């Protein structure tokens, strides 16, 4: 249900074509809400049919020309209503956690290699988030919009720090000798 809201948010930030939205999802919103090119185009059609967005008029003939979309008042109202609606947190569904649980039952050969790989991925993601923070949120940039965007980024930074700490602990515990039979 949140993909249309992610698209409305992105279009309110800047009217865009479907291709531009896809690129923006890859660079920002996609860090916490991903969507394929096809999903974005399908949702744009639904939003347009619902009267929440419209294609901007083009100065040139539309054939072969990419459509650029903007949010209509109904779309803004739908997004504002969604923002105000209470919603419970979603349960974590992470295949690595399930694999570790399964490894407890069937054994864990090679699991440490996968844990190290994940650790590297989370370290790289953290480095990327920290670069974005340094570039996009210098001291003094503290409008309400910037503050909220920065909080979203800080959430990502905190999550990466959590995973790095948890994976490091899991790898350290894997190296420690187990209890001696007594």
């Amino acid at each position: 249900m949140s993909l249309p809201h992610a698209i409305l948010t992105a279009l309110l930030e800047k009217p865009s074509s479907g291709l531009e939205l896809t690129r923006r999802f890859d660079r920002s919103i996609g860090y916490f809400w991903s969507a394929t090119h096809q999903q974005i185009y399908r949702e744009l059609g639904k939003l347009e049919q619902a009267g929440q967005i419209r294609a901007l008029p083009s100065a040139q003939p539309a054939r072969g020309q990419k459509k650029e979309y903007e949010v209509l008042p109904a779309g803004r109202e739908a997004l504002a209503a969604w923002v105000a609606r209470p919603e419970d947190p979603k349960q974590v569904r992470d295949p690595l956690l399930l694999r570790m649980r399964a490894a407890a039952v069937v054994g864990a050969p090679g699991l440490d290699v996968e844990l190290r790989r994940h650790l590297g991925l989370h370290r790289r993601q953290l480095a990327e988030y920290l670069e974005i923070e340094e570039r996009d949120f210098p001291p003094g940039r503290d409008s309400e919009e910037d503050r909220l965007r920065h909080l979203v980024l800080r959430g990502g930074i905190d999550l990466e720090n959590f995973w790095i700490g948890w994976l490091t602990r899991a790898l350290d515990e894997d190296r420690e000798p187990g209890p001696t039979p007594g």
Side-chain angles (χ1 to χ4, degrees):
M1 182 59 171
S2 294
L3 179 57
H5 302 109
I7 290 172
L8 288 170
T9 299
L11 289 175
L12 280 168
E13 290 173 340
K14 179 181 180 221
S16 304
S17 69
L19 181 59
E20 291 167 336
L21 279 174
T22 300
R23 289 179 181 149
R24 289 174 59 207
F25 264 71
D26 288 345
R27 289 190 319 261
S28 61
I29 291 174
Y31 287 122
F32 55 89
W33 197 270
S34 62
T36 66
H37 187 77
Q38 293 86 358
Q39 289 171 315
I40 290 171
Y41 273 94
R42 189 170 38 248
E43 204 57 52
L44 284 169
K46 290 177 187 177
L47 290 167
E48 191 170 23
Q49 285 180 344
Q52 294 184 2
I53 66 170
R54 73 174 179 126
L56 292 169
S58 176
Q60 300 180 13
R63 189 158 181 80
Q65 183 79 10
K66 62 183 175 181
K67 288 184 188 178
E68 192 168 89
Y69 296 91
E70 72 174 352
V71 177
L72 296 171
R76 182 181 282 277
E77 290 169 15
L79 185 61
W82 177 76
V83 167
R85 188 176 70 223
E87 189 169 326
D88 292 339
K90 301 291 181 218
Q91 284 186 315
V92 174
R93 290 180 57 169
D94 190 297
L96 181 63
L97 298 176
L98 182 57
R99 289 173 69 196
M100 290 182 72
R101 180 73 182 253
V105 178
V106 298
L111 186 60
D112 61 328
V113 172
E114 184 66 354
L115 292 175
R116 276 194 267 291
R117 188 179 76 81
H118 276 253
L119 181 58
L121 292 170
H122 285 288
R123 284 180 173 154
R124 283 191 291 283
Q125 188 64 64
L126 176 61
E128 189 173 337
Y129 285 165
L130 292 172
E131 286 176 23
I132 292 169
E133 183 178 43
E134 186 176 327
R135 179 191 71 220
D136 293 350
F137 299 101
R141 188 168 174 190
D142 55 2
S143 71
E144 181 66 8
E145 290 174 347
D146 286 334
R147 186 183 69 78
L148 292 173
R149 287 183 184 121
H150 194 191
L151 279 171
V152 171
L153 178 61
R154 287 298 319 167
I157 290 169
D158 291 347
L159 282 171
E160 294 307 324
N161 279 320
F162 161 78
W163 282 111
I164 290 167
W166 185 83
L167 287 161
T168 300
R169 188 169 48 254
L171 286 163
D172 288 346
E173 288 177 11
D174 190 42
R175 286 187 213 110
E176 292 175 8
T180 55

